[in-house]
């Protein structure tokens, strides 16, 4: 398997839904830290692309590597599934259970820390009153928020968001956008399919057009409104330009780079964090099986109330995503629910002391 | 029987190009052999061999009834082996072998049940007797009908094949348990089984073995053809997929975007 | 006891059944192979 | 694996607790079954010279039939929960051990079937009223049979999960497979009531072998069954 430092590398990928080639020879390369906005008409293959990247679909022909996992290999796809986060049209919720029961179940199933979900729920505006309601009594938007919170708490290295803005109100959409920006700042890579073109382009570092199960010519990279500039937008056709991206080039063969970039950092800090990262820590993480990683959520959440600009105790960037997501200031648009403390799932959660 | 299996394997994997249909040199030879064997089976079963003392002419059903059930077991056995290999290797070939063998075996199972019932009338006076063999064979028949139904489920082809393979394994193991349970169950009531009291002379035994050979050859011949039909269906699916791929790619330019396909 | 009628019924079911199934398989194979180009017809290409 | 099994089982039971489908729908269906058997075989029906009425004699078999039909419904329900709204995908993404899912679902269903058996058993006893011989044999039979039905049923329910024809196909698949269990449970129960107790032991062994086989295969094969691609 060839590692080029790309998080996603699809070449002539064909994926089937039954006997229908939903993806008909798709080429896509995504570098770490990119936010790709996948646009295209209904039935273009956007959702299938996301499912493929989540490891849920096998490749029919062509080749594909996501997070260093070969999509042609069943076992590697299984590993990929654990590391990817998918927000699909389905919400994965048990209608018969309350929101809190759903969250608890999935947090345990995902082996993610319960306390990490709590603050995200807050940020997504799912306050205490809602949490005892059964999932079937929720609105589509509320269901979406819940499954987004569950997805985020998996601390995925790659965020695959299928219409993340759908069914959400303004505040919800803002929350999604700011979460995306922060996630990228801390080392995640995002693929989002959205019909809310203006909004999606605002967070995206690159726009990709899917139609007929393939990528159309990529328009010039859109400069995003965000301050997140983890990597330079890279054109699909020129992977060599990646070499200029320090965070990626510093770590050949390791798609998941260490160190994180704060939303306000410049490319210089990126450089710093990247060079400091191949520490002993890196070796241990590499050597450990995904099983160990998931079974021991040893990271202390919210331990970093200190300024995020200091990636010194080089904890894993994506794993620490949470601490920093939570420590970060909330966007004003979410003041309504951010101001009040809500019933919490677990009380020993230092991350809740948000500034 | 192992020889036949080896031959099937060889034939399936090296089968040549055919103009139309599913025949080839080997199947032609096998087909002629099958026809000759069936001819002999009919000749001996219905003409040369005589009536039996207790059962009279009805004993002739024995020469098709028992070979049918043995052939059915052979087929289900092949399904078991092919299913195991499929789960290990994941190659389409073994999935198709498993399905083909099961379908033919179900057919022979139906022959067994029918001839069993028809035989029961003159010997027992009833068409259906809660005979252990007849009962467990019926359960096996229904179980494999279920297997064939799973092979036609409305699921992704690969998912369906994998589930069918699991079923192909479990069903065979369960056949063994059903066999014992029904044996014990009827054992309590001391029912007369087929063949008890029956004295087969040399010619009768010969007719029986002839039937066994004939059905095995027929089975092998059918299996090759049935497999090739599945194979053609599979190929047709792939060919349609190629067309669909071209169509799908053509959609790519309809969108308002200016770009050409990269 | 004469069982000829049962024997005839049993034998005809079996051999007519075999014949029908065989005819079905052969015909199906012919129709399918006509829909495919020759290079697709190799059994295990 | 055990941890995942417990998680799944608890979740399933919680769902049952909040919806009460087994309690409020499946259980009455089972009792209705028993009633219908009573109508079909008149309680006055008696073979000449026999001590007991026909109904009383066949009561063990009728009880297990009612359990079997009720269990089929519980099993269908168990997988309907999982198949909706992409949850099979989510379970795979969570990286839960498939063997754990199998054991968890089996355990949850077993508990519900056990509940059905207790209530249906009391009902059958009241309705058909045979005198009890060996309570020990009866309890063991019920426990082993519960495990057998739950394990085989869960495996077969997974085979049809996600299909539109699952409601019709699942019983066709499971019922013939459970033939040995029905035979064994009926005869062992019969022995528990009318004796001799030793008649029941081989049947218990048979059902135990059956259970072990299906638990083993289920744990090994569930990964292949759940994979949706």
């Amino acid at each position: 398997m060839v590692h080029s430092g790309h998080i996603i590398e699809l070449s002539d990928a064909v994926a089937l839904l039954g006997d229908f080639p939903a993806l008909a020879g798709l080429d896509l390369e995504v570098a770490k830290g990119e936010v790709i906005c996948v646009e295209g008409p209904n039935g273009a293959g956007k959702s299938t692309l996301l499912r493929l990247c989540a490891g849920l679909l096998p490749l029919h022909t062509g080749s594909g590597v996501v997070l260093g996992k070969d999509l042609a290999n069943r076992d590697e796809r299984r590993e990929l599934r654990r590391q990817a986060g998918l927000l699909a049209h389905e919400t994965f919720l048990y209608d018969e259970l309350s929101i809190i029961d759903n969250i608890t179940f999935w947090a345990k199933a995902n082996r993610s820390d319960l306390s990490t979900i709590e603050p995200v729920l807050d940020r997504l505006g799912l306050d205490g009153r809602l949490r005892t309601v059964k999932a079937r009594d929720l609105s589509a938007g509320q269901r979406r928020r819940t499954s987004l919170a569950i997805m985020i708490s998996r601390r995925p290295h790659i965020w695959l968001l299928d219409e993340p803005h759908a069914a959400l109100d303004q505040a919800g959409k803002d929350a999604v956008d700011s979460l995306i920006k922060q996630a990228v700042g801390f080392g995640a890579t995002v693929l989002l399919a959205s019909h809310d073109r203006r909004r999606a382009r605002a967070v995206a570092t690159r726009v990709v057009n899917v139609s007929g199960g393939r990528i159309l010519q990529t328009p010039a990279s859109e400069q995003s409104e965000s301050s997140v500039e983890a990597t330079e937008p890279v054109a699909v056709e020129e992977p060599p330009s990646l070499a200029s991206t320090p965070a990626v080039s510093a770590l050949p063969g390791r798609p998941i780079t260490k160190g994180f970039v704060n939303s306000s950092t410049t490319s210089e800090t990126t450089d710093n964090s990247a060079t400091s990262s191949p520490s002993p820590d890196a070796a241990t993480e590499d050597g450990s099986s995904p099983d160990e990683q998931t079974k021991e959520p040893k990271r202390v959440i919210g331990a970093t109330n200190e300024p995020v600009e200091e990636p010194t105790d080089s904890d894993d960037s994506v794993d620490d995503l949470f601490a920093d997501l939570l420590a970060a200031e909330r966007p004003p648009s979410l003041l309504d629910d951010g101001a009040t403390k809500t019933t919490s799932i677990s009380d020993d959660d230092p991350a809740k002391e948000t500034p | 029987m192992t020889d036949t299996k080896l031959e099937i394997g060889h034939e399936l994997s090296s089968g040549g190009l055919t103009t139309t249909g599913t025949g080839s040199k080997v199947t032609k030879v096998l087909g002629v052999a099958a026809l000759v064997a069936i001819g002999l089976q009919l000749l001996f079963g219905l003409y040369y061999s005589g009536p039996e003392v207790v059962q009279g002419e009805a004993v002739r059903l024995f020469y098709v009834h028992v070979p049918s059930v043995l052939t059915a077991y052979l087929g289900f056995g092949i399904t078991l082996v092919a299913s195991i290999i499929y789960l290990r290797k994941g190659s389409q070939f073994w999935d198709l072998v498993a399905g083909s063998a099961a379908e033919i075996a179900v057919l022979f199972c139906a022959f067994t049940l029918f001839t069993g019932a028809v035989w029961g009338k003159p010997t027992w006076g009833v068409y259906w007797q809660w005979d252990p063999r007849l009962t467990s064979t019926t359960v096996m028949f229904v179980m494999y009908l279920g297997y064939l139904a799973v092979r036609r489920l409305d699921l992704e082809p690969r998912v369906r094949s994998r589930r069918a393979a699991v079923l192909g394994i479990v069903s065979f193991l369960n056949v063994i348990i059903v066999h014992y349970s029904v044996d014990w169950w009827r054992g309590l009531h001391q029912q007369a089984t087929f063949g008890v009291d029956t004295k087969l002379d040399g010619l009768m035994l010969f007719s029986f073995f002839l039937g066994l050979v004939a059905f095995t050859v027929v089975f092998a011949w059918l299996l090759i053809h049935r497999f090739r039909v599945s194979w053609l269906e599979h190929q047709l699916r792939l060919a349609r997929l190629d067309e669909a791929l071209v169509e799908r790619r053509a959609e790519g330019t309809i969108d308002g975007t200016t770009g050409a396909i990269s | 006891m004469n069982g000829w009628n049962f024997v005839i019924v049993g034998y005809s079911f079996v051999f007519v059944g075999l014949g029908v199934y065989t005819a079905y398989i052969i015909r199906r194979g012919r129709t399918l192979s006509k829909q495919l180009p020759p290079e697709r017809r190799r059994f295990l290409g | 694996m055990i941890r995942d099994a417990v998680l799944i089982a608890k979740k399933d039971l919680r769902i049952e607790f909040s919806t009460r489908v087994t309690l409020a729908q499946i259980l009455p269906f089972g009792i209705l079954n028993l009633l219908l058997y009573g109508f079909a075989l008149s309680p006055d029906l008696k073979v000449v010279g026999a001590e007991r009425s026909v109904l009383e004699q066949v009561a063990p078999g009728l009880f297990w039939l009612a359990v079997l039909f009720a269990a089929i419904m519980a099993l269908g329900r168990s997988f309907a929960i999982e198949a909706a709204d992409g949850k099979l995908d989510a379970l795979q993404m969570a990286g839960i051990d498939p063997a754990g899912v199998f054991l968890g679902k089996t355990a949850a269903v077993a508990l519900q079937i056990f509940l059905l058996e207790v209530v249906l058993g009391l009902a059958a006893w009241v309705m058909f009223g045979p005198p009890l011989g060996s309570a020990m044999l009866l309890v063991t039979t019920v426990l082993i049979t519960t495990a057998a039905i739950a394990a085989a049923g869960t495996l077969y329910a997974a085979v049809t999960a996600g299909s539109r024809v699952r409601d019709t196909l699942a019983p066709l698949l499971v019922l013939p497979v459970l033939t040995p269990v029905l035979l064994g449970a009926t005869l062992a129960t019969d022995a528990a009531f009318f004796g001799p107790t030793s008649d029941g032991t081989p049947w218990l062994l048979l059902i135990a072998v059956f259970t072990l086989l299906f638990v083993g295969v289920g744990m090994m094969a569930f990964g292949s069954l759940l994979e949706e691609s």
Side-chain angles (χ1 to χ4, degrees), chain A residues 51 91 93-94 143 154, chain D residues 82 85 87 89 92-93:
Chain A
R51 281 175 61 82
T91 52
L93 298 178
Y94 292 96
R143 289 177 72 105
R154 288 164 54 90
Chain D
E82 242 39 85
D85 209 13
K87 282 179 288 265
D89 279 350
Q92 290 188 64
M93 294 205 61

Side-chain angles (χ1 to χ4, degrees), chain B residues 21-247:
Chain B
T22 45
S24 63
K25 259 186 199 160
V26 177
T27 57
K28 268 172 199 144
V29 174
L30 215 53
V32 171
L35 280 178
V36 171
I38 286 182
L40 285 174
Q41 182 192 8
L42 288 176
L43 208 59
F44 275 85
L46 296 179
Y47 184 71
Y48 285 127
S49 70
E52 202 257 348
V53 194
V54 183
Q55 297 184 23
E57 306 292 350
V59 75
R60 300 176 194 283
L61 282 162
F62 182 82
Y63 315 138
V64 287
H65 176 77
V66 181
S68 296
V69 75
L70 290 176
T71 313
Y73 274 119
L74 170 71
F76 294 138
I78 292 176
T79 301
L80 168 77
V81 174
S83 297
I84 293 173
I85 301 178
Y86 175 74
L87 279 186
R88 288 222 168 156
K89 290 194 182 164
S91 76
Q92 197 69 43
F93 174 86
W94 290 107
D95 176 51
L96 298 181
V97 170
S100 310
E103 188 180 298
I104 302 168
V106 163
L107 182 75
F108 277 96
C109 215
F111 293 162
T112 311
L113 293 176
F114 188 88
T115 50
V118 172
W119 192 16
K121 187 66 180 167
T123 37
W124 297 326
V126 281
Y127 287 109
W128 178 263
Q129 180 85 288
W130 290 95
D131 167 78
R133 285 294 69 72
L134 203 50
T135 311
S136 64
T137 307
T138 311
V139 174
M140 177 169 84
F141 179 64
V142 178
M143 230 152 59
Y144 277 95
L145 281 183
Y147 170 84
L148 292 182
V150 166
R151 295 195 66 88
R152 289 191 303 269
L153 271 185
D154 50 336
L155 297 168
E156 290 279 321
R158 226 178 296 219
V159 176
R160 189 174 53 207
S161 300
R162 227 176 296 125
R163 293 187 182 182
V166 172
L167 215 56
I169 298 168
V170 179
S171 301
F172 197 85
L173 298 177
N174 202 53
V175 162
I176 301 168
I177 298 189
V178 170
H179 184 103
Y180 277 107
S181 67
V182 176
D183 249 11
W184 292 357
W185 177 52
R186 293 318 288 173
L188 298 174
H189 298 259
Q190 280 307 322
Q191 217 67 44
T193 318
F194 286 149
V196 175
D197 296 344
T198 304
K199 298 272 187 297
L200 294 180
D201 64 26
L203 206 53
M204 288 173 176
L205 270 179
F206 181 74
S207 303
F208 163 66
F209 282 116
L210 204 61
L212 199 59
V213 171
F215 275 10
T216 311
V217 177
V218 169
F219 177 83
W221 183 82
L222 277 175
L223 180 62
I224 295 174
H225 280 283
R226 183 64 186 85
F227 168 81
R228 287 178 174 174
V229 168
S230 312
W231 181 258
L232 288 174
E233 279 167 353
H234 179 58
Q235 288 299 320
L236 195 63
R237 181 181 163 243
L238 292 182
R240 295 225 169 104
L241 214 58
D242 285 351
E243 288 167 28
L245 211 56
V246 174
E247 279 173 32

Side-chain angles (χ1 to χ4, degrees), chain A residues 89-136:
Chain A
H89 290 293
E90 298 92 0
T91 52
F92 309 145
L93 298 178
Y94 292 96
D95 279 344
E96 304 83 352
L97 294 181
S98 68
I99 287 304
I100 190 77
D101 285 342
N102 264 296
I103 287 169
T104 316
F105 172 76
W106 284 116
K108 284 184 179 162
N110 289 318
R111 291 172 167 76
S112 47
D113 198 331
L114 262 178
S115 57
T116 60
I117 297 187
E118 179 68 21
V120 183
L121 286 176
D122 276 353
R123 279 191 63 174
L124 286 168
L126 284 159
D127 58 28
R129 184 183 49 81
L130 277 175
R131 291 177 200 179
T132 48
V133 173
K134 287 200 176 150
R136 65 157 169 263

Side-chain angles (χ1 to χ4, degrees), chain A residues 16 18-19 23 34 47 62 105 121 177 185 199 244 253 257 292 355:
Chain A
L16 306 179
D19 283 342
L23 297 185
E34 280 196 275
S47 300
F105 172 76
L121 286 176
D177 289 351
R199 223 172 233 289
S244 62
T257 45
E292 287 167 53

Side-chain angles (χ1 to χ4, degrees), chain B residues 239, chain C residues 33-42:
Chain C
S33 63
K34 274 178 201 150
Q35 295 172 37
L36 280 165
E39 69 271 13
R40 285 252 188 212
R41 269 184 254 146
R42 274 200 76 85

Side-chain angles (χ1 to χ4, degrees), chain A residues 1-14:
Chain A
M1 200 194 331
V2 192
H3 284 295
S4 55
H6 287 129
I7 294 290
I8 299 175
E9 214 175 338
L10 299 176
S11 145
D12 201 21
V14 176

Side-chain angles (χ1 to χ4, degrees), chain A residues 277-331:
Chain A
S277 53
S279 57
D281 223 51
T284 50
E285 201 223 344
D286 236 7
S288 61
S289 73
D291 232 316
E292 287 167 53
Q293 281 183 35
T294 41
K295 269 179 191 155
E296 300 175 57
K298 53 178 183 271
R299 322 266 173 234
V300 184
I301 306 310
T304 44
N305 260 351
E306 47 200 302
V308 249
E309 285 84 38
E310 294 176 37
T312 43
D313 52 3
S314 91
D315 239 328
D316 290 338
S317 56
V318 183
D319 274 6
D320 237 15
L321 176 65
F322 258 86
D324 308 298
L325 271 184
L326 310 174
E329 205 149 352
R330 289 178 192 180

